[in-house]
Amino acid sequence: MVLFKVLSGIVVIAFTGTLASVSESQLPSQAIFVDPRSFAVMGPNADFRNDSFNMLFNPTSTTPPFFQIFDERFLTILGGSPSFREIASDPTFAFAHEAPVYNEPTDEVFFSSNDGGPLGMSDLNHNNVISKISMKEVEAALSANATGPVNVPITQLNLSDSIQMTNGGTGPYNSSILLVTSGRGSSPPSIVLVNPLPPYNATVLLDNYFGRQFVSLNDIKVHPTNGKIFFTDVDYGFLNLFRPAPLMPFQVYRFDPDTSAVRVVADGFNKPNGIAFTPDGNTAYVSDTGASGGFLGNNLTLPASIYAFDVDPVTHVFKNRRVLAYADAGVPDGIQLDSDGNIYSGCADGTQVWAPDGTLLGKFFLGMSTAEMIFAGDGRLVILAETKMFLAKIAAKSIPLGGPSRN
Ligand SMILES: *[C@@H]1O[C@H](CO)[C@@H](O)[C@H](O)[C@H]1NC(C)=O
Ligand SMILES: *[C@@H]1O[C@H](CO)[C@@H](O)[C@H](O)[C@H]1NC(C)=O
Ligand SMILES: *[C@@H]1O[C@H](CO)[C@@H](O)[C@H](O)[C@H]1NC(C)=O
Ligand SMILES: *[C@@H]1O[C@H](CO)[C@@H](O)[C@H](O)[C@H]1NC(C)=O
Ligand SMILES: *[C@@H]1O[C@H](CO)[C@@H](O)[C@H](O)[C@H]1NC(C)=O
Ligand SMILES: *[C@@H]1O[C@H](CO)[C@@H](O)[C@H](O)[C@H]1NC(C)=O
């Protein structure tokens, strides 16, 4: 979880430049090409950005939502006729924060509300909530309105009290939604399976480390080939005033669902947050959102970065750490991959996409922060933007998230 200020007034950097290597005629609708050559030199009198959270990079002053392209490879991700639409909205409630899970059998996306941050309606004394949206209803609403935003109703679930401050989710795993919770007050952080069908019953898989509570668990993925469950632990529960002060370092762990054994696989972060694996399972990505400090405020000298690691085939330890990307806007939060291995992460201006070589290819530019997103099947990217949800219909394909031969 990351606490972003709600971006009311977007500050835009203006400049004049030439857009050369992708011609306007090649661009699909809602797409803008920003050639890196056009802003490489801004001149001594330019208005430089001195804040990455509240001053966003929109040199063409285009009205969101739009596709901001920096590298022509982003055109392959978008395909010939992409669209980018608002599908749900509630200006009073950050109902769409993290833990997105697409349940293919019911064509629904599950997600959590903001835990402890602005408009989250949750704090030390109030739990956050899990809701779902029907993609069938989204498709019907979009067909009925060719251009404008639509507002599809969401359904709030009534889950077990064992689920406190959900911040991450993945799967389905064994046909269940796999959630990770931050805990609330003295209630421990946990890993929980939830039935995606009524009565939405839950089973807790883990709630401690040899009798010690985790700090406030943040995000989770199942390894695609070894089937182990990996999760991050960091102090956003404390920084958002709903968990006690940390008593453990901020680390990445592995849980073995067959034996219930837990071990650490990576440390040395400022604030480990989002996690993802390449489809072959050889590479892990972990974001570090150190620059976002909850009640401590933002510190632009701390990490806003995604790191890549090799996953040791025997021990599953994350090794050979190298930096993949440093986000230009806010911090990169949740991470998802497409089937070509491109890396998507939620930042202060929307969802940004990097190639495996670390080049920023483009952005799903919203002018507002996104913590997470999920492919609802091939070609449908659902973006959670706190008080709004968006659907981008593109060419990129999803990857399985349920582990080896489990769905
Ligand atoms: C950032 O720039 C704005 C506008 O020029 C200025 O008002 C503000 O003081 C600057 N902040 C910092 C931290 O330099
Ligand atoms: C589509 O949505 C827009 C914005 O909400 C609205 O103004 C317009 O009337 C809608 N069009 C149809 C055909 O429903
Ligand atoms: C949750 O509980 C409320 C109040 O009892 C009820 O109206 C609602 O239908 C329940 N939601 C679901 C998804 O069952
Ligand atoms: C929900 O209850 C059913 C019926 O008892 C059980 O088979 C299933 O494993 C439960 N699911 C979870 C996630 O607890
Ligand atoms: C997943 O399902 C398999 C087969 O039904 C079962 O043996 C296993 O215990 C389940 N794992 C978890 C973590 O529920
Ligand atoms: C920002 O972080 C750096 C590196 O940890 C630290 O030296 C500095 O004091 C921090 N600045 C503020 C304002 O907290």
Side-chain angles (χ1 to χ4, degrees):
M1 183 286 142
V2 160
L3 184 69
F4 283 131
K5 265 196 238 159
V6 176
L7 303 169
S8 42
I10 300 161
V11 182
V12 162
I13 309 298
F15 74 101
T16 52
T18 50
L19 307 182
S21 59
V22 174
S23 78
E24 293 288 329
S25 60
Q26 284 176 269
L27 291 177
S29 65
Q30 289 179 277
I32 294 288
F33 178 61
V34 181
D35 191 329
R37 281 169 289 206
S38 69
F39 62 89
V41 178
M42 290 172 58
N45 300 319
D47 290 324
F48 294 97
R49 299 163 67 202
N50 61 13
D51 179 356
S52 78
F53 288 85
N54 297 296
M55 301 175 79
L56 306 179
F57 190 68
N58 182 4
T60 55
S61 301
T62 304
T63 303
F66 67 96
F67 307 113
Q68 192 181 49
I69 303 172
F70 295 98
D71 184 295
E72 64 185 337
R73 282 175 284 174
F74 202 53
L75 293 170
T76 306
I77 289 171
L78 297 180
S81 54
S83 64
F84 196 4
R85 305 276 302 274
E86 183 178 316
I87 57 172
S89 167
D90 181 349
T92 68
F93 179 34
F95 65 99
H97 180 59
E98 288 213 45
V101 183
Y102 177 59
N103 190 51
E104 198 268 331
T106 57
D107 200 18
E108 292 168 323
V109 173
F110 293 76
F111 51 90
S112 67
S113 61
N114 187 295
D115 44 329
L119 297 179
M121 311 285 174
S122 63
D123 56 27
L124 179 60
N125 301 307
H126 303 92
N127 197 5
N128 74 338
V129 293
I130 308 288
S131 303
K132 63 174 186 173
I133 190 167
S134 160
M135 294 306 293
K136 194 166 165 247
E137 288 177 23
V138 167
E139 296 287 2
L142 293 176
S143 309
N145 189 324
T147 54
V150 298
N151 196 358
V152 175
I154 64 164
T155 303
Q156 207 165 296
L157 307 185
N158 306 307
L159 298 181
S160 155
D161 281 344
S162 63
I163 299 170
Q164 292 292 330
M165 295 298 215
T166 303
N167 192 76
T170 193
Y173 172 83
N174 264 13
S175 304
S176 294
I177 293 165
L178 183 61
L179 298 179
V180 70
T181 78
S182 289
R184 181 165 61 86
S186 59
S187 299
S190 59
I191 296 174
V192 192
L193 287 174
V194 173
N195 185 348
L197 303 173
Y200 308 106
N201 51 308
T203 300
V204 179
L205 299 181
L206 179 73
D207 69 2
N208 72 91
Y209 183 77
F210 297 93
R212 298 164 72 187
Q213 287 196 1
F214 290 102
V215 177
S216 52
L217 298 181
N218 196 287
D219 213 342
I220 188 162
K221 283 284 188 317
V222 184
H223 191 275
T225 60
N226 67 41
K228 310 303 181 202
I229 296 170
F230 293 75
F231 55 95
T232 60
D233 194 20
V234 64
D235 61 343
Y236 282 112
F238 173 65
L239 294 173
N240 286 319
L241 308 170
F242 65 84
R243 282 283 295 159
L247 293 171
M248 303 227 285
F250 312 150
Q251 313 185 111
V252 184
Y253 296 87
R254 182 200 71 180
F255 173 71
D256 185 332
D258 302 316
T259 66
S260 293
V262 187
R263 64 155 300 169
V264 64
V265 293
D267 67 359
F269 299 91
N270 189 288
K271 296 191 199 329
N273 196 316
I275 183 167
F277 295 101
T278 50
D280 64 12
N282 293 332
T283 304
Y285 295 108
V286 178
S287 64
D288 189 329
T289 52
S292 176
F295 70 73
L296 298 176
N298 300 328
N299 185 332
L300 298 179
T301 70
L302 294 176
S305 306
I306 300 175
Y307 297 94
F309 302 82
D310 298 332
V311 181
D312 187 279
V314 176
T315 65
H316 304 157
V317 159
F318 293 3
K319 58 188 190 182
N320 301 330
R321 166 181 152 142
R322 60 269 181 190
V323 72
L324 174 86
Y326 171 67
D328 82 280
V331 287
D333 196 329
I335 308 174
Q336 306 290 349
L337 266 63
D338 68 21
S339 62
D340 288 329
N342 298 305
I343 299 100
Y344 298 56
S345 189
C347 298
D349 55 1
T351 293
Q352 302 196 4
V353 184
W354 291 270
D357 68 14
T359 310
L360 179 64
L361 300 180
K363 302 179 181 179
F364 297 85
F365 196 103
L366 292 170
M368 59 198 295
S369 97
T370 61
E372 254 287 28
M373 76 298 307
I374 190 73
F375 277 95
D378 291 343
R380 295 196 303 189
L381 185 70
V382 173
I383 299 178
L384 307 181
E386 306 297 326
T387 56
K388 291 178 187 288
M389 287 176 76
F390 294 83
L391 173 62
K393 290 200 179 182
I394 56 178
K397 293 189 164 66
S398 62
I399 60 172
L401 293 173
S405 67
R406 277 171 170 169
N407 269 307

